Amino acid sequence: MNPLRQTLSIHLLDDCVFSERAATEGAHQTLDRIPGSALLGAAAAQLYPHLEVSAAFAAFHSGDLRFTDGLPQAGDGTPAWPV
């Protein structure tokens, strides 16, 4: 089975900082990408109120919908790998 893939282009309007861990204490390492979990959470925040309970579960809790990390874009528009 081939998964369906959709590309999204994000233009940040403000500075964003994403931490390597979700813990509230301790030494944090920042990430140079947007974690897929943050993108999933943003989608859930917008869509959850408009979905039936079963559809919300299928989309956001079953693992059927996945978001990969948001990677920076190279000058030619191709994804760049953070280093």
Side-chain angles (χ1 to χ4, degrees), residues 26-79:
H28 286 273
Q29 297 290 338
T30 58
L31 298 173
D32 50 3
R33 64 189 183 284
I34 302 173
S37 59
L39 297 173
L40 177 67
Q46 294 297 312
L47 297 174
Y48 224 94
H50 306 288
L51 297 175
E52 297 290 327
V53 173
S54 60
F57 178 83
F60 301 112
H61 301 283
S62 67
D64 288 343
L65 178 63
R66 299 178 189 178
F67 284 78
T68 58
D69 291 346
L71 300 173
Q73 211 174 36
D76 64 354
T78 61

